[in-house]
Amino acid sequence: MALSDKLIRVADKLLNRFDVTDRAIYKRVYTRTGGDALLGRPGTVSYVDTIMNPQPIFGELSFHRGNTPRNSVGLIDSGIALIGDYLLQCSPTSVTVTELANKEMTFIAKDSNGNEEQFFIVTYKASAVNGVDVFFTVLLRSKSR
Amino acid sequence: MTPLRDCRDTFLHFLSDNLSGITVHPLRCDPNDPGADVLMMNAVNVQYLNVDLETVATQQVVIDIVNDDENTAIDWMTNIWQLLRSAFYTTLYSYTDPSLPVYQESNVFWDRNAVKFRRIVNENYTHYSCVLPLKFTAVI
């Protein structure tokens, strides 16, 4: 088995053991039919939610050092991170680069009461071994800001 | 649908439908697309600016030609200038149903002698910009 495959399997097992938040993370893919993209008219919009398996590491970015807030902005790879942004770290088993690059895909956090929070992708970074992506780090911004 | 929205939609389609082989990229704030309000490389970018709502209203539009090949940018600029010089109005349509534009018995006008491009210097790409006031009838 290639090293990259082994690393992905290990990461998948470890990710399933994390219980970072009480919310489950889903991938939501929108399908727009009709409408006119040039005019920003969406036509008929539908979506499909798929729960991520394994669940990612997901948490709000901290700009604090101890109890002291430091900068209000930061740089994560090619994206500017703001206070209130989230970091999502996941395995290629649960999401692919093609999905991350699809602007019709967003991430949804749902709690046990059915409340949803939607995020859009600011930027993402792939960690690769021998040319194979083994881990993704995604900077998310809530649409509820 | 509002005349202001009709004016914007009509002008976007006027450019897009008549500039064959050129990507027309409208800049707008879109909660579903964080890249929608960023200039696109190798495209004719269209952004709407100030609005003056009167009976004869004014909608300011800025056309930004951005291309990493200067000769292509010059060709595009010539095409746009020729298109806007070929007429001084286009028919106003409502695109509430984009598949079925409805004629609004009015037009969108511009001053075809006011199509002037200025160079915005950048070492990585060629950028020409034109600010043009559009006139239309706003019945509120």
Side-chain angles (χ1 to χ4, degrees):
Chain A
M1 182 186 292
L3 176 60
S4 53
D5 291 333
K6 287 182 188 173
L7 289 170
I8 291 171
R9 282 177 179 242
V10 168
D12 287 351
K13 281 186 187 173
L14 289 171
L15 283 168
N16 274 326
R17 294 180 187 171
F18 277 94
D19 187 21
V20 180
T21 146
D22 63 347
R23 297 192 287 178
I25 309 300
Y26 291 73
K27 297 179 292 188
R28 174 172 290 176
V29 179
Y30 286 95
T31 303
R32 303 174 201 276
T33 53
D36 190 331
L38 179 72
L39 307 181
R41 294 184 184 276
T44 305
V45 183
S46 61
Y47 61 81
V48 173
D49 288 349
T50 308
I51 192 165
M52 292 183 74
N53 183 24
Q55 283 284 285
I57 300 171
F58 176 77
E60 192 169 351
L61 279 176
S62 171
F63 285 85
H64 287 70
R65 187 174 298 167
N67 291 325
T68 307
R70 307 301 282 188
N71 301 321
S72 58
V73 296
L75 197 63
I76 296 201
D77 201 32
S78 61
I80 295 177
L82 307 175
I83 289 181
D85 283 351
Y86 285 74
L87 206 62
L88 180 145
Q89 294 170 299
C90 60
S91 158
T93 305
S94 54
V95 72
T96 66
V97 169
T98 305
E99 288 175 317
L100 289 172
N102 180 7
K103 74 177 183 74
E104 299 296 347
M105 193 201 77
T106 59
F107 288 99
I108 307 291
K110 297 184 189 180
D111 66 15
S112 53
N113 295 321
N115 298 312
E116 294 182 358
E117 186 173 8
Q118 190 168 355
F119 303 85
F120 65 80
I121 298 169
V122 178
T123 188
Y124 61 89
K125 177 181 177 181
S127 302
V129 170
N130 295 334
V132 178
D133 294 331
V134 297
F135 206 66
F136 294 120
T137 302
V138 187
L139 177 63
L140 298 177
R141 187 157 299 150
S142 174
K143 291 193 179 182
S144 305
R145 289 172 61 87
Chain B
M1 186 46 57
T2 65
L4 177 59
R5 188 77 183 268
D6 294 341
C7 169
R8 293 182 170 204
D9 292 348
T10 298
F11 191 72
L12 273 175
H13 261 289
F14 174 73
L15 290 178
S16 177
D17 296 346
N18 290 288
L19 293 175
S20 175
I22 298 175
T23 300
V24 174
H25 172 62
L27 270 73
R28 64 168 66 90
C29 290
D30 185 342
N32 297 313
D33 184 2
D37 59 354
V38 177
L39 282 176
M40 179 187 281
M41 177 67 81
N42 298 335
V44 171
N45 296 272
V46 181
Q47 187 173 23
Y48 291 105
L49 304 178
N50 299 345
V51 179
D52 184 9
L53 287 173
E54 297 282 348
T55 304
V56 178
T58 303
Q59 166 67 78
Q60 207 176 44
V61 63
V62 59
I63 301 170
D64 288 288
I65 301 168
V66 180
N67 201 296
D68 53 11
D69 184 295
E70 182 156 351
N71 289 332
T72 303
I74 299 298
D75 290 341
W76 286 4
M77 185 167 60
T78 305
N79 288 346
I80 293 169
W81 179 80
Q82 286 174 338
L83 175 64
L84 292 173
R85 282 274 303 178
S86 66
F88 59 91
Y89 73 95
T90 187
T91 315
L92 187 72
Y93 284 94
S94 168
Y95 286 85
T96 306
D97 179 358
S99 62
L100 200 64
V102 176
Y103 173 48
Q104 297 299 294
E105 299 181 3
S106 181
N107 301 307
V108 178
F109 296 89
W110 57 86
D111 181 358
R112 63 188 195 139
N113 296 313
V115 182
K116 300 182 194 306
F117 287 90
R118 65 185 178 94
R119 178 91 184 245
I120 298 173
V121 178
N122 186 290
E123 61 187 26
N124 296 315
Y125 53 84
T126 304
H127 184 178
Y128 281 95
S129 183
C130 168
V131 178
L132 191 68
L134 303 176
K135 298 282 189 184
F136 64 100
T137 302
V139 179
I140 299 177

